[in-house]
Amino acid sequence: MERLTGWHLMVQIRALFLFLRKETYQEVFQPDYGQETAHALSLRVFKDCLSILFQTWLFLDVWVMKDYGNKESWTRLFRVPYWGAFSYTYALCISENDQILIGDFPFVVPLEYESRKFVSGRLIDSWVIISLDLRKDSYEEVLQPDYGQEPAESLSLHVFRDCLSIISHTDLFFDVWLMKDYGKKESWTKLFDFLTCTIMALIHFSMHFVFLRKTKYCWSATQFTIQEIALLSTARFKTAIVLYPQNPTMRHLNCTTKMATVNDHVTASNRHIPHPQPPLTLPDDLIREILQWLPMKKVVQLCSVSKSWKSLISDPYFARMQLLGSPGSSHLILTFMNVRHEFVLKAYPFPLVFDAVNVASKLFIFDNVAWMVGSCDGIICFSTKDQPGTFVLWNPYIGKYKKLPRLVNEQNQCSYTLYGFGYDSSAKRYKVIGGISYALDSFSYRTEMKVLTLGSDIWKRIGDFPAALPRNGLGIPVRGTVNWLSRNDPSSWVITSLDLQKDTYKEVLQPDYGRDLANTILFLRTLRDCLSIIFHTGDFLDIWIMQDFGKKESWFKFFRVPFPDAQFCPFFNALCISENDQVLMAWKSAFIVYDIRSATFKIPQIQNGNYFLSSVRYVESL
Amino acid sequence: MAEETESTKTEPLKTAEEEFKKLEITEEEESELKLETSDHVTFMVEASIAMKFGAVQQYLEVSPAASASATAIPLHNVASRELILILEYYRMHDWVDAGERDLKEFDERFLKDLNYEELKELLLAANYLNVEKLFNFLTKSIANIIRNKDVEFVRTFFGIDNDYTPEEEAAYREENAWAGVKFV
């Protein structure tokens, strides 16, 4: 079997992506899915095989191509039916964890570790128990017992007496099933059952997880009797009174609380078995208090719990307890592409990013983002993988997305070349800029520029881009403008600035570098909130900062990073400068910090194996 | 301005402390307060612990006589079994000899012995009693429980009915699913 690794894999997956979308590329044949049509397909790599997750509204199939490229080798690993519309994310999670870490298989019950079998079940309408045989690396369904007439309300998997066990629960009964001979359906035996209503108060059966613990108590008891279960399940109240269901006498366990002794009688009378109650609901403010401990992404997901939760979470009060800390706090955002071709975004709290130790970051992985266009006033703009010209805005602070209308090109022979994202403070509007270039003849081309003002949803045509195409099409936003640096010829560079208020271009005059521009590379950045030029020769790197935007005389040389040996030379991309004059520089996936005051280099902790794409300084706002 | 608000904030605490001191002086043993739960069980609770309850402090501010007299302080929204647990928690956390590891172990055991309904009941009680430490502990614990669970679990946990129509649900998912963000 061909092992798929590294670039090869990425390229192939990409090809397949195109295939799935456009049905034009024919590199990889897909399996015969059967009659159902999927609402979503996604690609994974399991066990070094290309895999497809085939999702319909009813179930999820996992297909694996065992022999890469061979259509015949597609096999369906398993099918997971859904319960409720949202559980598919969980199924993805199963699959992924299966690949990465088998121990994280949800609800995993390590059964007979010697035989290397793992079994998992899911809380679904039509119950399926999937067992993963680690020796064969194959999944199979474990057949379930005939539960009888009552449909089970919930099931849970356990291991009792070294056998796979199911606890099924219906309105009336609470059954414990044991599969004495693993894999044989006929070996299922009902160990015992009892009427739930007798001990309802003690077992809140609506939560099937609760059973797990309860039955562990059962398990520890040598004999399964109703009395003992009742006894053990209330044993958690060390100071409480236990009521035998059949013979309502009181028994006092390990009483440590003074008052409990005094009030034996009263407490006992209060512990008569109440009627089963619907789950307790909590008031909104308590729910808010609970949710504040969760990461914002989880909280945003929970909007789908109910409408009231959505409004609760969208509430500005809640918005204050946000993803990346408090408003005004500043982060450095670095974006990468990982080996699985996913877009990875890391946010580092700003001053800490320079440190050598204990740098905590927030990590986000986006499936559908191609790269970051830019960040401005608390909003990050991404380009998506969908089609060229599709953008999404993300406010990490409140965790909201906004998909923008597509920038469509009318011309056939053209390409998307320029991008920009900025904030027009006079109109208080964010603007996204996109440029499309097309050839006029074999020597010339023009670049049509369009601007989308947030809220208008129309890409408005503005004047064509007046200069040569910049090498880096991502514009640098500075004070209501977006700036590009292009090279006219080997020794002359031009900075073109687009005024977002007037939609007009202007050239920004450059400083006198004091040196011939041949054999140099220039980069445009924002450092310390000012437009900056990184002037890189083989021997040193100068950082110029324009303190007063638009005024040539305000350029000054902030500092020079000497390159005493060739080792540091490629670090030409200065990302940010700290208050105490340290500058973070990147080259490919490596990072280095240069301390201007002591003129020394140091290695920060943020090294990363993934391919570095871009960075931006991000300051939160609402 | 800032000073003013500060002084008003500390005042209740001060009075509570004074009350506490008075109690210490007047009684030879550690003084106890009488608390009555919603199911009419009276508890004699060490004042040092009872005074940690915001609700008790508040009550004593309004009627300071209750501390010395035999009148029980009513706790309308707390049942006896919840109060037993709360007291257990605070006794452990107040215990001078308890090391960090002991407390951690205790917390784990404490949680393990509660089912989800009890957890919620206890949270409501802790909220009513205004006991900050336990309240934070409980909210954090519940957050940990739901952290890696799906929406359906959360609905069941909090007893919430899904009031989205299937269409709305699909639309909502559409709106949010584009990025497929994984937060690690």
Side-chain angles (χ1 to χ4, degrees):
Chain A
M1 187 183 69
E2 189 188 358
R3 276 183 78 85
L4 304 169
T5 46
W7 268 107
H8 177 55
L9 182 69
M10 288 203 289
V11 172
Q12 292 296 350
I13 286 185
R14 203 181 211 182
L16 189 66
F17 257 119
L18 287 167
F19 169 56
L20 293 175
R21 289 246 165 70
K22 294 185 183 166
E23 296 176 0
T24 49
Y25 292 80
Q26 293 290 327
E27 274 88 351
V28 183
F29 291 98
Q30 289 169 75
D32 181 8
Y33 297 116
Q35 290 185 335
E36 300 285 342
T37 48
H39 69 83
L41 287 180
S42 51
L43 282 173
R44 292 285 187 280
V45 183
F46 297 139
K47 306 177 208 311
D48 287 335
C49 298
L50 189 64
S51 313
I52 294 181
L53 299 183
F54 180 85
Q55 296 173 27
T56 71
W57 295 114
L58 298 171
F59 57 82
L60 169 114
D61 278 351
V62 180
W63 289 85
V64 172
M65 194 184 215
K66 293 208 171 151
D67 183 6
Y68 183 77
N70 179 0
K71 195 194 168 187
E72 311 302 313
S73 71
W74 278 110
T75 38
R76 199 175 76 194
L77 268 191
F78 59 85
R79 170 173 289 188
V80 188
Y82 294 151
W83 184 49
F86 284 89
S87 43
Y88 75 101
T89 46
Y90 217 31
L92 292 178
C93 179
I94 292 180
S95 318
E96 265 169 19
N97 289 346
D98 162 37
Q99 192 224 347
I100 300 161
L101 193 68
I102 209 82
D104 276 1
F105 217 71
F107 306 123
V108 77
V109 179
L111 175 83
E112 300 175 68
Y113 188 71
E114 286 300 303
S115 68
R116 284 161 55 88
K117 274 178 179 157
F118 282 79
V119 181
S120 176
R122 278 175 48 79
L123 245 173
I124 35 186
D125 248 351
S126 50
W127 275 81
V128 174
I129 301 171
I130 296 154
S131 119
L132 165 66
D133 189 327
L134 289 182
R135 197 176 288 155
K136 294 185 207 144
D137 269 356
S138 65
Y139 294 88
E140 55 191 42
E141 195 186 330
V142 177
L143 295 172
Q144 291 163 73
D146 181 8
Y147 297 116
Q149 288 183 336
E150 288 282 330
E153 193 173 292
S154 70
L155 294 182
S156 60
L157 280 176
H158 308 271
V159 182
F160 296 133
R161 296 181 177 169
D162 287 333
C163 298
L164 182 67
S165 313
I166 294 178
I167 293 178
S168 83
H169 169 259
T170 66
D171 277 343
L172 288 172
F173 289 99
F174 177 84
D175 296 349
V176 181
W177 291 84
L178 240 66
M179 194 186 215
K180 291 201 169 154
D181 191 357
Y182 181 79
K184 290 198 177 135
K185 193 195 168 185
E186 57 276 16
S187 73
W188 280 111
T189 40
K190 196 194 275 185
L191 204 62
F192 66 94
D193 62 275
F194 51 84
L195 281 169
T196 39
C197 55
T198 52
I199 59 163
M200 236 164 222
L202 307 171
I203 299 172
H204 293 263
F205 52 85
S206 60
M207 294 288 138
H208 99 138
F209 295 93
V210 180
F211 279 178
L212 211 130
R213 197 173 64 237
K214 296 284 156 32
T215 43
K216 270 182 187 152
Y217 287 126
C218 303
W219 168 229
S220 62
T222 45
Q223 281 184 333
F224 288 101
T225 63
I226 297 168
Q227 284 87 347
E228 280 197 8
I229 289 169
L231 174 83
L232 286 159
S233 56
T234 50
R236 65 178 175 278
F237 290 106
K238 285 196 305 299
T239 56
I241 313 301
V242 173
L243 209 59
Y244 284 91
Q246 288 186 332
N247 175 22
T249 53
M250 287 169 283
R251 188 171 150 193
H252 202 171
L253 289 180
N254 181 22
C255 179
T256 52
T257 308
K258 206 198 245 173
M259 282 328 294
T261 20
V262 177
N263 292 293
D264 265 1
H265 184 71
V266 197
T267 318
S269 69
N270 275 301
R271 285 200 63 81
H272 68 83
I273 297 162
H275 296 291
Q277 280 168 353
L280 200 63
T281 51
L282 297 176
D284 283 359
D285 53 332
L286 290 189
I287 286 171
R288 219 180 266 141
E289 292 284 347
I290 291 166
L291 294 184
Q292 62 149 330
W293 299 106
L294 290 171
M296 198 57 207
K297 171 60 190 176
K298 180 74 195 173
V299 174
V300 171
Q301 267 179 18
L302 293 177
C303 281
S304 53
V305 164
S306 73
K307 284 176 185 165
S308 64
W309 273 47
K310 191 179 175 188
S311 61
L312 173 83
I313 290 166
S314 317
D315 181 332
Y317 164 82
F318 195 80
R320 244 173 275 142
M321 309 186 278
Q322 295 300 340
L323 187 65
L324 295 172
S326 53
S329 78
S330 163
H331 294 259
L332 181 73
I333 286 180
L334 302 178
T335 64
F336 305 91
M337 191 206 298
N338 70 13
V339 287
R340 270 175 291 174
H341 217 84
E342 289 165 328
F343 180 82
V344 177
L345 185 147
K346 281 186 163 190
Y348 293 90
F350 182 64
L352 292 173
V353 71
F354 300 93
D355 291 356
V357 285
N358 296 329
V359 179
S361 67
K362 299 234 160 102
L363 171 67
F364 310 91
I365 298 172
F366 297 84
D367 282 344
N368 204 18
V369 166
W371 34 267
M372 178 167 68
V373 174
S375 164
C376 200
D377 285 83
I379 307 273
I380 298 176
C381 178
F382 295 121
S383 173
T384 74
K385 285 178 181 168
D386 289 342
Q387 272 172 314
T390 51
F391 302 96
V392 160
L393 301 185
W394 182 44
N395 185 339
Y397 186 61
I398 56 171
K400 284 215 164 140
Y401 301 101
K402 186 178 170 58
K403 212 169 176 172
L404 302 180
R406 191 182 164 217
L407 169 64
V408 191
N409 54 313
E410 294 93 0
Q411 309 285 334
N412 274 332
Q413 298 291 319
C414 69
S415 54
Y416 294 82
T417 47
L418 291 183
Y419 300 93
F421 178 62
Y423 184 67
D424 175 10
S425 51
S426 61
K428 296 203 168 71
R429 285 271 183 268
Y430 289 95
K431 291 189 171 180
V432 184
I433 300 112
I436 298 166
S437 304
Y438 54 92
L440 295 173
D441 53 59
S442 46
F443 300 104
S444 57
Y445 58 86
R446 58 186 285 188
T447 305
E448 270 183 15
M449 298 288 278
K450 286 187 177 177
V451 173
L452 178 90
T453 306
L454 215 69
S456 78
D457 286 358
I458 296 162
W459 286 94
K460 192 180 89 185
R461 172 101 185 258
I462 58 169
D464 290 357
F465 191 68
L469 274 183
R471 177 193 281 189
N472 182 359
L474 299 180
I476 303 292
V478 183
R479 293 180 200 175
T481 64
V482 177
N483 303 272
W484 290 270
L485 176 74
S486 32
R487 191 175 205 169
N488 287 338
D489 58 71
S491 59
S492 85
W493 299 73
V494 63
I495 299 172
T496 311
S497 168
L498 171 67
D499 187 320
L500 290 176
Q501 192 191 342
K502 300 179 204 143
D503 292 336
T504 53
Y505 303 95
K506 208 171 87 179
E507 188 186 339
V508 176
L509 297 172
Q510 293 163 72
D512 179 9
Y513 299 112
R515 198 194 139 115
D516 181 14
L517 287 179
N519 302 320
T520 55
I521 305 171
L522 268 64
F523 293 94
L524 214 54
R525 306 278 316 164
T526 17
L527 295 173
R528 299 234 159 130
D529 295 330
C530 298
L531 187 69
S532 317
I533 292 174
I534 295 162
F535 181 85
H536 188 276
T537 71
D539 308 321
F540 60 84
L541 179 151
D542 279 348
I543 291 186
W544 290 84
I545 286 185
M546 194 182 213
Q547 261 190 325
D548 198 355
F549 184 76
K551 291 201 177 134
K552 193 196 167 184
E553 59 277 14
S554 73
W555 279 109
F556 74 104
K557 188 159 80 187
F558 189 49
F559 65 94
R560 168 173 292 186
V561 183
F563 295 130
D565 59 64
Q567 190 194 343
F568 297 126
C569 181
F571 288 93
F572 46 69
N573 201 351
L575 305 181
C576 63
I577 302 172
S578 75
E579 299 304 319
N580 58 356
D581 291 345
Q582 302 193 55
V583 54
L584 179 75
M585 299 191 288
W587 180 64
K588 285 192 178 167
S589 303
F591 295 91
I592 201 160
V593 169
Y594 178 72
D595 190 321
I596 301 168
R597 292 178 193 171
S598 66
T600 49
F601 289 97
K602 69 174 185 180
I603 310 290
Q605 204 203 3
I606 58 170
Q607 306 302 340
N608 191 294
N610 295 325
Y611 188 76
F612 175 68
L613 295 171
S614 65
S615 85
V616 76
R617 178 89 180 268
Y618 171 77
V619 181
E620 278 159 0
S621 75
L622 269 174
Chain B
M1 267 304 281
E3 275 176 23
E4 254 182 62
T5 47
E6 210 166 56
S7 65
T8 47
K9 259 186 197 170
T10 47
E11 224 179 325
L13 276 175
K14 265 187 198 161
T15 48
E17 270 167 25
E18 280 163 20
E19 291 294 337
F20 184 41
K21 275 178 195 156
K22 264 188 230 159
L23 288 168
E24 271 191 328
I25 298 161
T26 47
E27 303 215 8
E28 281 173 16
E29 303 186 328
E30 192 185 7
S31 60
E32 290 179 334
L33 289 174
K34 211 184 232 183
L35 307 180
E36 188 179 340
T37 56
S38 59
D39 46 356
H40 306 296
V41 183
T42 43
F43 286 74
M44 297 299 295
V45 180
E46 302 91 299
S48 61
I49 289 179
M51 292 310 276
K52 286 206 162 65
F53 301 168
V56 173
Q57 286 175 19
Q58 226 168 15
Y59 186 87
L60 289 181
E61 262 167 54
V62 181
S63 46
S67 59
S69 74
T71 8
I73 301 169
L75 305 173
H76 299 295
N77 291 342
V78 185
S80 53
R81 58 186 161 157
E82 288 143 20
L83 189 59
I84 289 172
L85 285 167
I86 293 168
L87 290 176
E88 190 185 322
Y89 183 86
Y90 270 90
R91 286 205 176 111
M92 186 64 192
H93 280 259
D94 245 28
W95 186 33
V96 191
D97 292 341
E100 215 166 273
R101 192 194 278 175
D102 296 331
L103 287 181
K104 216 182 145 201
E105 230 169 67
F106 171 85
D107 285 353
E108 274 168 22
R109 217 183 49 232
F110 187 81
L111 270 187
K112 221 177 119 195
D113 290 348
L114 291 169
N115 68 30
Y116 293 157
E117 290 302 300
E118 288 160 352
L119 203 55
K120 286 187 280 178
E121 277 166 14
L122 200 56
L123 179 66
L124 284 172
N127 185 39
Y128 169 77
L129 275 184
N130 192 2
V131 280
E132 203 188 339
K133 196 171 178 183
L134 179 65
F135 182 79
N136 285 341
F137 171 67
L138 291 173
T139 49
K140 220 183 238 175
S141 307
I142 295 176
N144 279 335
I145 290 171
I146 60 173
R147 186 177 293 262
N148 294 317
K149 302 294 197 305
D150 59 9
V151 172
E152 193 52 46
F153 176 91
V154 176
R155 280 192 198 125
T156 331
F157 187 98
F158 291 103
I160 296 161
D161 294 324
N162 179 12
D163 52 2
Y164 285 104
T165 62
E167 294 82 41
E168 280 172 334
E169 211 168 71
Y172 185 77
R173 188 173 32 206
E174 178 87 349
E175 187 186 311
N176 278 276
W178 74 270
V181 189
K182 277 179 274 177
F183 283 63
V184 190

